[in-house]
Amino acid sequence: MDVSDDGQKLDPEWVEVGSNVCGVLRGCRDASAVAHHFVRTGWSSRSSSWHGYEVETNWGQLEVDPTESPDILLNGVVDPQRFDELGGVLHRLGLSYSLELYEGGDTLVREIQA
């Protein structure tokens, strides 16, 4: 997948928060396809490793990393008020996933299983 800088950059207020969201996208080995899906919904994307991607919009930034199993790991930062919107982006992929939202680095405040 080509890099796309068409989306918005992460708002500075979320840069300082650090990682507050993690998840697993099940049944998909292709991080490129996942990154492309995010680009189609208005996010930007860039390669972050040999097989991983970073996707970004003004309210969230995620690392999209494949694993040895048929899963993709997601981690990064998201505006807590937009957590359900992130779930909607993943839901439209048509795969099962789980997402967890943390506060203060270690307190689980929300979880989505779909």
Side-chain angles (χ1 to χ4, degrees):
M1 179 190 139
D2 293 332
V3 172
S4 167
D5 289 324
D6 293 338
Q8 300 175 353
K9 297 291 183 198
L10 184 65
D11 284 343
E13 70 180 297
W14 302 116
V15 172
E16 300 300 321
V17 170
S19 184
N20 70 348
V21 68
C22 64
V24 176
L25 184 58
R26 294 181 184 83
C28 181
R29 290 181 187 259
D30 188 358
S32 175
V34 174
H36 186 68
H37 174 75
F38 274 90
V39 168
R40 286 192 318 262
T41 63
W43 294 53
S44 64
S45 171
R46 64 188 148 274
S47 177
S48 62
S49 68
W50 284 102
H51 302 286
Y53 291 85
E54 181 182 84
V55 294
E56 180 178 40
T57 190
N58 65 331
W59 53 267
Q61 182 181 67
L62 297 172
E63 290 290 330
V64 178
D65 292 310
T67 65
E68 295 295 321
S69 66
D71 296 334
I72 300 286
L73 297 180
L74 306 169
N75 67 72
V77 61
V78 67
D79 174 351
Q81 301 298 317
R82 311 282 294 262
F83 184 67
D84 289 327
E85 191 171 339
L86 175 58
V89 171
L90 295 176
H91 180 77
R92 288 188 292 279
L93 273 169
L95 300 170
S96 66
Y97 67 91
S98 62
L99 276 179
E100 297 175 346
L101 178 66
Y102 289 86
E103 183 179 285
D106 61 354
T107 303
L108 180 65
V109 293
R110 293 271 321 274
E111 185 174 9
I112 299 173
Q113 299 273 340

